[in-house]
Amino acid sequence: MRGAFFFLFVFSVTTGLSQEKADSVKNRLKAEASVSINSNGIASIPAFSLGDPAIIASVSLKKNRFSYDPVLAYGFDMRPWFIDNWLHYRIIRKKDLEIRTGVNFSTFFTKNKFQDKTILQADRYLAFEIAALYRVSEKTSLTLMYWNDRGQEEGTIKGHFFSLAGDINDIRAGESIVLSAGAQLFYINYDGSNDGLFISPRISASAVRLPFDLFLQATQVISSNIEPDPGFKWNIGLACNL
């Protein structure tokens, strides 16, 4: 439960910081937070999912070129699913182009059932990232990303994640509804039979002046040797942005 207490602490800090005027925080710590309820939790790499409803909370603390971007994911039974601790540095930070690198110290929890007991197994992962964001216009962007993921415990997997994503934001549907849409094409190459090419579209809708987003995400395998076949996954959720 230390992760939950940590999130409550960071959440309190971010809420206070977000109330400051924009012109007074230009060179100070900038904070954002989001909490979402998901029908079928889909992980940061969309090929993987919890398979059950999940609560996912993320925080972003930014100052100049550095940011700390933790993510906490829990099942509805309040058992942890994964904890990410991303540290990012923006190598290039321009109006139309951003290139960043990052490192993630994460923990992934697996449920193991023994007779009438369920035991959580925690496995540590270390990931490295390089990503480039190109803003085609004020509303459209492309993101190219690579992760090198390294399991730290015996029996955990290691491998590579490549992703190309396109996003369109601020699509007006009348005077009060704003839509966003995007699609992610990604390839995973992990130890053993864990290779595959996938596509994952996403659409979200929000009301003007309200901090809530209703979103729908799907993942479809194009080609894979993963057994059992990942097939088609979908997830609907509601996010509160702070």
Side-chain angles (χ1 to χ4, degrees), residues 135-196:
R135 296 179 180 88
V136 180
S137 67
E138 291 184 357
K139 298 182 179 181
T140 307
S141 64
L142 293 172
T143 303
L144 181 64
M145 183 165 54
Y146 165 73
W147 290 353
N148 186 300
D149 208 0
R150 319 297 293 177
Q152 300 300 296
E153 265 70 52
E154 184 178 355
T156 55
I157 59 176
K158 302 176 177 64
H160 311 277
F161 169 70
F162 303 87
S163 167
L164 175 63
D167 294 284
I168 303 176
N169 300 306
D170 196 20
I171 306 170
R172 292 285 173 166
E175 296 182 356
S176 58
I177 302 297
V178 179
L179 302 177
S180 297
Q184 182 182 21
L185 181 68
F186 64 92
Y187 173 72
I188 60 173
N189 184 347
Y190 278 70
D191 294 341
S193 298
N194 288 289
D195 304 335

Side-chain angles (χ1 to χ4, degrees), residues 35-179:
V35 180
S36 67
I37 298 175
N38 302 262
S39 65
N40 178 24
I42 291 182
S44 304
I45 298 179
F48 308 110
S49 68
L50 179 62
D52 291 306
I55 301 172
I56 301 177
S58 61
V59 176
S60 182
L61 304 175
K62 300 179 182 178
K63 185 170 183 180
N64 298 326
R65 294 177 180 267
F66 291 94
S67 69
Y68 173 51
D69 307 291
V71 180
L72 301 178
Y74 283 78
F76 272 23
D77 57 4
M78 295 314 297
R79 288 191 174 99
W81 174 24
F82 69 84
I83 300 174
D84 282 344
N85 289 282
W86 278 106
L87 297 171
H88 288 115
Y89 176 75
R90 287 158 183 80
I91 304 170
I92 297 177
R93 187 178 53 172
K94 295 183 178 181
K95 180 180 179 180
D96 298 330
L97 178 65
E98 180 180 296
I99 296 178
R100 76 184 185 205
T101 186
V103 60
N104 179 26
F105 304 92
S106 66
T107 305
F108 181 79
F109 297 88
T110 305
K111 296 179 183 178
N112 295 310
K113 293 185 178 180
F114 297 95
Q115 297 179 351
D116 59 343
K117 293 183 179 180
T118 299
I119 298 176
L120 285 180
Q121 176 179 330
D123 293 318
R124 298 168 299 161
Y125 284 82
L126 177 63
F128 300 94
E129 176 194 81
I130 183 72
L133 169 67
Y134 176 66
R135 296 179 180 88
V136 180
S137 67
E138 291 184 357
K139 298 182 179 181
T140 307
S141 64
L142 293 172
T143 303
L144 181 64
M145 183 165 54
Y146 165 73
W147 290 353
N148 186 300
D149 208 0
R150 319 297 293 177
Q152 300 300 296
E153 265 70 52
E154 184 178 355
T156 55
I157 59 176
K158 302 176 177 64
H160 311 277
F161 169 70
F162 303 87
S163 167
L164 175 63
D167 294 284
I168 303 176
N169 300 306
D170 196 20
I171 306 170
R172 292 285 173 166
E175 296 182 356
S176 58
I177 302 297
V178 179
L179 302 177

